[in-house]
């Protein structure tokens, strides 16, 4: 190993980083006329997950946005949500998959406490914005036909209470049961899918399979223990 290798490599890496930073800054400036709130680029060095987490905790951000390919396998999404970064996020995350016209949201709800938190997060994030949205109560089945859920209790009672108190009223309330793949065919038209995930979803999670089968951007919150 030559004595200068380490210095040369570091100089090359710094030059490449400066070049990429300049290119991204030019992109941000070109978009600033349409998106005036775009901030300047931050360059963070270090281990990816740890560096991003440190920045998120220090910055007190309301949401973390990460780009992605339009569709990926269930195993890829599961690997992402089980990563150190996603397991310890202090805020909800938006996986942006396609350039879309933001006009209609689908909120997936269930009976968990984290769904209650999800609704409060959405109200906070989109306060003051006029939104069209639907509520979707789904029951995952391993097999069987796609069909409506007939329940003697109001599946949307708690959601209605939270949302109505904030001046939000859904256009539609949908309650369906079926396989994740069949359910996914019912939600492809939406600009954004919002859901709540357990802290450690299992390999057979129907919700993970459902979300991986839709091309829409995904916004979700996670149960977390508050430690970092």
């Amino acid at each position: 190993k030559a004595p200068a290798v380490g210095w040369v490599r570091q100089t090359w890496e710094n030059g490449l980083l400066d070049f990429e930073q300049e290119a991204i800054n030019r992109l941000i400036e070109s978009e600033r006329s349409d998106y005036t709130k775009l901030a300047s680029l931050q360059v963070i060095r270090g281990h990816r997950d740890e560096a991003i987490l440190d920045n998120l905790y220090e910055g007190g951000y309301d949401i973390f946005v990460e780009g992605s390919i339009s569709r990926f396998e269930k195993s890829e999404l599961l690997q992402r949500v089980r990563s150190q970064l996603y397991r310890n996020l202090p805020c909800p995350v938006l996986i942006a998959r396609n350039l879309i016209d933001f006009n209609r949201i689908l909120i997936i709800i269930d009976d968990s406490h984290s769904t209650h938190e999800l609704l409060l997060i959405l109200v906070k994030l989109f306060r003051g914005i006029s939104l069209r949205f639907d509520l979707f109560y789904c029951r995952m089945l391993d097999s069987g036909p796609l069909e409506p859920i007939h329940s003697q209790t109001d599946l949307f009672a708690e959601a209605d209470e939270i949302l109505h108190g904030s001046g939000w009223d859904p256009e539609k309330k949908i309650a369906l049961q079926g396989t994740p793949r069949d359910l996914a065919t019912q939600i492809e038209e939406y600009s954004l899918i919002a859901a709540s995930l357990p802290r450690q979803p299992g390999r057979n999670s129907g919700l993970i399979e459902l979300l991986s089968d839709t091309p829409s951007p995904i916004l979700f919150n996670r149960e977390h223990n508050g430690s970092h």
Side-chain angles (χ1 to χ4, degrees):
K1 182 177 179 181
V5 167
W7 175 83
V8 170
R9 180 176 179 83
Q10 183 177 3
T11 302
W12 174 80
E13 289 177 344
N14 288 340
L16 182 61
L17 185 61
D18 291 341
F19 175 80
E20 295 293 342
Q21 181 176 350
E22 183 180 348
I24 296 173
N25 271 323
R26 286 199 301 268
L27 175 62
I28 291 174
E29 289 303 319
S30 70
E31 298 291 335
R32 198 178 295 282
S33 59
D34 294 321
Y35 306 99
T36 56
K37 293 186 178 181
L38 280 175
S40 299
L41 176 68
Q42 295 184 61
V43 176
I44 305 171
R45 300 172 186 264
H47 182 274
R48 179 182 181 274
D49 286 5
E50 292 178 359
I52 292 174
L53 281 173
D54 287 341
N55 187 260
L56 288 172
Y57 275 89
E58 291 172 6
Y61 295 101
D62 295 316
I63 190 169
F64 171 62
V65 181
E66 184 171 37
S68 174
I69 59 175
S70 60
R71 288 180 186 268
F72 37 48
E73 296 296 324
K74 175 184 176 182
S75 59
E76 295 176 78
L77 180 57
L78 185 61
Q79 181 179 14
R80 183 176 297 205
V81 300
R82 283 178 156 187
S83 68
Q84 177 191 1
L85 173 60
Y86 276 57
R87 283 188 289 108
N88 293 284
L89 285 173
C91 59
V93 58
L94 171 62
I95 300 178
R97 302 163 107 173
N98 285 311
L99 184 63
I100 55 155
D101 292 325
F102 190 73
N103 53 24
R104 199 164 169 214
I105 297 177
L106 183 72
I107 304 173
I108 299 177
I109 66 170
D110 57 25
D111 299 322
S112 70
H113 177 65
S114 52
T115 297
H116 178 273
E117 294 175 355
L118 172 67
L119 296 173
L120 296 178
I121 286 169
L122 292 171
V123 169
K124 177 183 178 181
L125 286 175
F126 298 110
R127 181 176 290 117
I129 302 175
S130 178
L131 292 176
R132 298 174 57 209
F133 72 95
D134 297 338
L135 294 177
F136 185 47
Y137 187 100
C138 58
R139 186 174 295 151
M140 310 287 179
L141 303 177
D142 293 331
S143 62
L146 181 68
E147 57 187 8
I149 297 175
H150 301 289
S151 174
Q152 295 182 351
T153 60
D154 187 353
L155 301 173
F156 303 97
E158 184 179 11
D160 282 339
E161 183 178 352
I162 295 171
L163 296 173
H164 186 69
S166 302
W168 285 29
D169 291 302
E171 291 189 355
K172 291 194 295 185
K173 300 175 186 177
I174 307 159
L176 292 174
Q177 64 181 21
T179 65
R181 180 148 296 181
D182 285 342
L183 290 167
T185 64
Q186 306 301 301
I187 65 177
E188 293 182 342
E189 64 191 81
Y190 292 92
S191 305
L192 178 68
I193 308 296
S196 185
L197 291 178
R199 179 169 171 76
Q200 190 72 7
R203 290 184 178 275
N204 297 320
S205 169
L207 183 55
I208 291 291
E209 183 174 349
L210 170 64
L211 295 176
S212 65
D213 277 339
T214 174
S216 304
I218 307 166
L219 186 153
F220 60 84
N221 70 309
R222 300 288 298 276
E223 297 175 348
H224 58 277
N225 57 13
S227 62
H228 173 42

